[in-house]
Amino acid sequence: MTYVLHYAPDNASLVIRLALEHRGIPYTGQLVDRASRAQESATYRALNPNGLIPVLQTPQGPLFETGAILLWLADKHGQLGPGPHDPDRGAFLKWLFFLSNTIHPALRMLFYPDKYIAPDHKEALSVGAEAGVHQSFKTLDAVAAENPPFLGAHHPTVLDFYSAGTLRWPALYPKDRNRGWFRLTNYPALHDLCARLESLPCTAALQKAEGLGMTPFTAPKPPNPPEGSAT
């Protein structure tokens, strides 16, 4: 069975697309049309009851949660991260879960504060989320600067792909808020990671599929996808 990636342009599904493309894993893309709120449909919620993107359909059933999909792909297909018996496995898992449990949720709070707090407290939540994300990126940058084999190396892992996605979005979203707090150059090791990823064929495939421009990570521009909408 060829995998089916349920995606929307410039959503977390881009991270899964990078992993699939880099490893050369056959898949087809199935657009989730956010403009018509297809992610909230009964059909989509049958795949992911949370109504979030992405979902990866596999012979073992649909998978959701970005970190879980990445870890499953790495273990199933290899060459996307340290295997279960690799001495770097623990550190790899630690930072993968740091991205999925700390950075990604904080970004969601920043992008969708209405889902988390009453309107009169939105500003306080946004300010706190910005500070938290900035500190988390500084922490991750320090790890990347140590040149571990699972982050920022010349053989990218799912951790690299996830990092690049989370570093793209704060430069563009939310559209109605000043984003001057975020500068990729504040995290030099992560900047270098993003620049290396932009030279890879998997990123070229992502650019074509989702209209993310020539520098999707180091100098992001709003997406111009051939189909669908990012929001």
Side-chain angles (χ1 to χ4, degrees), residues 33-80:
D33 187 4
R34 291 194 61 176
S36 64
R37 307 192 73 81
Q39 72 272 24
E40 299 176 4
S41 69
T43 300
Y44 189 76
R45 284 186 180 271
L47 299 173
N48 183 352
N50 302 308
L52 298 175
I53 301 166
V55 165
L56 184 70
Q57 283 187 270
T58 79
Q60 287 74 44
L63 301 178
F64 55 84
E65 295 295 329
T66 303
I69 298 171
L70 292 173
L71 181 56
W72 187 86
L73 287 172
D75 284 353
K76 180 76 171 179
H77 295 279
Q79 301 180 36
L80 289 169

Side-chain angles (χ1 to χ4, degrees), residues 98-111:
F98 178 70
L99 274 162
S100 66
N101 292 358
T102 300
I103 293 180
H104 203 163
L107 288 173
R108 283 189 55 81
M109 290 180 191
L110 180 59
F111 302 156

